[in-house]
Amino acid sequence: MESPAIQARQTPLFTRRALVRLIVPLVIEQFLLMSVGMMDTVMVTTAGQAAVSGVSLVDNINQLIIQIFSALSTGGAVVVSQYLGRREEDNARTAARQLLYTVFAMAMLLMALALGFRQHVLSLLFGNIEADVMDSALVYFLTTALAYPFISLYNAGAALFRSMGNSKVSMFNSLIVNLVNVVVNAVLIYGFHMGAMGAGIGTLVSRIVAAVFILVLLRHPDNVLRIDGVFHAHLRFDMIRRILTIGIPNGLENGLFQAGKLLVLSLITTFGTNAVAANAIANSIAGVVNVPGTAIGLAMITVVGQCMGARDTKQAVTYTRKLLLTVYVSMGSLSVLLFFLAQPLCTLFALTPEATAMAAEVLRWCAVFDLLIWPLAFTLPNALRASGDVMFTMAVSLGSMFLFRIGSSYVLACDWGLGLGLLGVWIGMIIDWGVRSVIFTIRFAQGKWKNRSVI
C-alpha cells in the first residue's frame, strides 16, 4: 500500500522533455547497433550466399551471448535505478562498479568456451549445413568470440548511462561503432576479399573501440555514477547478489529464449540454403521495425525502476501506459511501411529469386502482428522486470517459447505436419507473441508486480 505522501505526490519523476531526451537517442542507438550486424550481412553478400548464411548462423549464437550480457546489465540497471529513485547515490555507484565486474567475468568465461568448443557447437546445432557454409561460420565465430568481453563492458556502461537518464552517450558510441565497423569491413571484405573473416574482424575492432570509449566516459566527474579506479577491484557480494537476483532470471529467460530460436533455426537449415538466407535477411529487416519497441523498453527499465525506488507505483503505471502508447504509434507506422515495401526491400540483397520471395512473404505476416501484439509481448514486460517481477516474466517467456513457438514451428513447418516450411516457422513465432501478450497484459492489470522492489 502506498503511503499518503506518495499518493499525494504531484511532481512527476520524469517530465515530457526528460522522456524525449531519454528515448530519442535510444531509438537512434538501437538503429545504429542493429546496423552493425546488418552491415556485416550486406557487405559479406559479395562473397557469396554461403558466406551470408555462415555469418547469419553465427550471429544467432552471438545474439544468445549478447542477450546474456544484456540481461545482467538490465539487472544492474534495475538496482541502480531503484537506488537513484531513493536518492542513495553512494549505493548506486557501488552497484554500478559491481555490475562491471560481474559482466566482465561472465564474458571471459563465455569467450573461453566459445573459442574452445566453437566447432562442436556449430556441428551440434547446424551439423547438416553445407561445407562452405560451415567454413564461413567457423572463421566468423572465431573472430567475433574475441569481442565478447568488450561487448559486455559496453552493454553494462550503456545501461548505467541509461540509469542516469543519459542515453546520448551510448547513441554517439553506437555511431562510432558503425563507422569503425563499416570502414574495417570495406577494407577487409572489398579490398582484401576476406569474406566472413573480414566481417568478424570489423565487428571485433568496433567493439573494442566502443568498450574503451564508454569506460573513459564513465570516469567523468559530472556523472552521478562516476567510476574511478575500476581496475582496483573491490567486490561487494551483497550488491552482486541484488544484481544477480534480477540478472540471473532475466539471463535465463533471454538465454534460453535465444537457445529456443537456435533450435528453430536448426529446423530451418533442413529447408536448404535459400531458406537460411531468406530467414537471415527477413530477420534483419524485421528487426528495424522492432527498434522503437526495444528502445522504449530500455527506457522503461530506467523510468519504472526509479518510480519503484521512490515507492511511487501510481507514476509507474502512468509512465508504462504512456510509453506503451508511444511504441504502438511508432511501430505501427513502420509496420504499415514494411507490409507494402517488403518485396522491394528484399530485392536489395543479393539473394536468389526463391529466397527473395520467401523473405518477402514472411515479412508481410510479421508486419501485421508487429502492429497488433508485439509491444504487449516484449515492451510491456520490461515494466514488470523494472519492478523486480522477473521470475514471472521468465516463467511465461520460457513456457511460451518452448510450448508454443518451437512446438508450433515443427507442426506447421515440417513435411509430417502442414509442410509450410519457413512460413510455418514464422507463424509459430507469431503464436508465441500472442500468448505472451495476453499473459503479460493480465499480470500488469492485476498489479501484483507493484510489491516486488529488490532494494
Side-chain angles (χ1 to χ4, degrees):
M1 180 68 68
E2 298 170 351
S3 69
I6 289 176
Q7 289 177 345
R9 177 177 293 162
Q10 298 296 318
T11 304
L13 287 172
F14 291 86
T15 63
R16 182 187 297 272
R17 185 177 179 182
L19 289 175
V20 170
R21 285 202 309 265
L22 177 63
I23 292 171
V24 171
L26 278 175
V27 172
I28 297 172
E29 176 194 354
Q30 291 303 304
F31 275 118
L32 292 171
L33 286 176
M34 177 169 297
S35 65
V36 174
M38 187 179 292
M39 289 307 299
D40 281 355
T41 302
V42 172
M43 297 179 79
V44 85
T45 55
T46 59
Q49 193 156 288
V52 174
S53 298
V55 167
S56 70
L57 293 177
V58 174
D59 270 339
N60 281 275
I61 299 174
N62 287 340
Q63 283 301 314
L64 167 61
I65 304 301
I66 292 172
Q67 289 293 337
I68 294 174
F69 300 150
S70 297
L72 290 173
S73 298
T74 297
V78 169
V79 174
V80 169
S81 295
Q82 291 193 7
Y83 276 126
L84 290 177
R86 294 179 64 172
R87 304 294 188 266
E88 297 180 13
E89 286 82 5
D90 287 341
N91 282 332
R93 282 192 287 271
T94 300
R97 183 187 294 269
Q98 303 310 305
L99 172 62
L100 292 175
Y101 298 150
T102 302
V103 296
F104 186 75
M106 178 64 71
M108 293 298 292
L109 174 62
L110 291 174
M111 181 186 71
L113 292 174
L115 293 177
F117 300 99
R118 70 184 191 282
Q119 184 156 7
H120 302 284
V121 171
L122 291 171
S123 297
L124 176 64
L125 293 173
F126 315 118
N128 59 340
I129 59 177
E130 298 165 12
D132 52 352
V133 176
M134 178 62 81
D135 290 341
S136 294
L138 282 170
V139 297
Y140 188 68
F141 201 178
L142 171 66
T143 49
T144 54
L146 293 171
Y148 290 169
F150 306 101
I151 294 172
S152 72
L153 291 173
Y154 168 78
N155 280 352
L160 294 176
F161 274 107
R162 289 194 299 270
S163 297
M164 291 184 278
N166 182 352
S167 54
K168 288 183 179 179
V169 167
S170 54
M171 179 190 71
F172 285 115
N173 205 345
S174 298
L175 178 60
I176 293 172
V177 167
N178 274 270
L179 291 175
V180 173
N181 188 58
V182 169
V183 170
V184 177
N185 278 357
V187 172
L188 298 182
I189 296 175
Y190 300 149
F192 290 89
H193 308 288
M194 295 178 65
M197 177 172 283
I201 294 174
T203 298
L204 172 60
V205 173
S206 65
R207 298 298 190 175
I208 292 173
V209 172
V212 171
F213 186 73
I214 208 158
L215 287 177
V216 169
L217 290 177
L218 278 172
R219 293 170 52 87
H220 196 283
D222 292 340
N223 291 330
V224 175
L225 299 178
R226 181 184 67 256
I227 297 178
D228 294 318
V230 69
F231 296 109
H232 302 288
H234 175 63
L235 299 180
R236 281 280 304 275
F237 291 102
D238 58 326
M239 290 290 188
I240 293 175
R241 178 185 58 79
R242 290 190 180 111
I243 292 170
L244 295 180
T245 296
I246 303 294
I248 288 179
N250 205 29
L252 285 173
E253 175 187 338
N254 291 356
L256 291 176
F257 176 76
Q258 197 67 29
K261 289 177 68 175
L262 288 173
L263 289 176
V264 174
L265 184 59
S266 68
L267 169 63
I268 293 174
T269 61
T270 65
F271 303 145
T273 302
N274 277 332
V276 173
N279 185 69
I281 298 305
N283 274 318
S284 295
I285 296 173
V288 174
V289 177
N290 297 340
V291 162
T294 302
I296 294 173
L298 292 173
M300 198 175 282
I301 294 290
T302 298
V303 173
V304 176
Q306 290 200 25
C307 290
M308 296 301 295
R311 302 292 191 267
D312 194 335
T313 58
K314 185 176 181 179
Q315 286 203 56
V317 171
T318 300
Y319 284 125
T320 299
R321 289 173 176 167
K322 287 182 179 179
L323 293 175
L324 196 60
L325 178 61
T326 305
V327 174
Y328 265 105
V329 172
S330 54
M331 283 189 63
S333 303
L334 292 175
S335 296
V336 172
L337 290 174
L338 176 61
F339 184 85
F340 291 106
L341 298 178
Q343 184 72 30
L345 287 172
C346 291
T347 59
L348 297 176
F349 298 85
L351 300 177
T352 64
E354 293 82 2
T356 300
M358 282 192 284
E361 180 182 32
V362 298
L363 281 173
R364 291 191 188 97
W365 277 79
C366 181
V368 172
F369 291 94
D370 267 335
L371 172 64
L372 296 175
I373 58 177
W374 193 96
L376 295 175
F378 293 99
T379 304
L380 178 60
N382 272 359
L384 307 180
R385 295 184 185 103
S387 72
D389 196 17
V390 290
M391 295 301 293
F392 180 83
T393 58
M394 179 188 72
V396 172
S397 297
L398 296 183
S400 181
M401 172 57 138
F402 287 97
L403 289 176
F404 294 98
R405 179 176 296 200
I406 296 176
S408 298
S409 293
Y410 277 85
V411 171
L412 294 171
C414 292
D415 290 336
W416 53 263
L418 295 183
L420 296 178
L422 181 62
L423 177 60
V425 171
W426 281 64
I427 293 175
M429 175 184 70
I430 291 167
I431 292 171
D432 170 40
W433 295 0
V435 172
R436 292 164 182 264
S437 64
V438 171
I439 297 175
F440 288 138
T441 301
I442 292 172
R443 182 71 168 187
F444 181 76
Q446 287 177 334
K448 294 181 179 179
W449 53 276
K450 296 178 182 178
N451 301 312
R452 304 286 184 181
S453 179
V454 294
I455 63 173

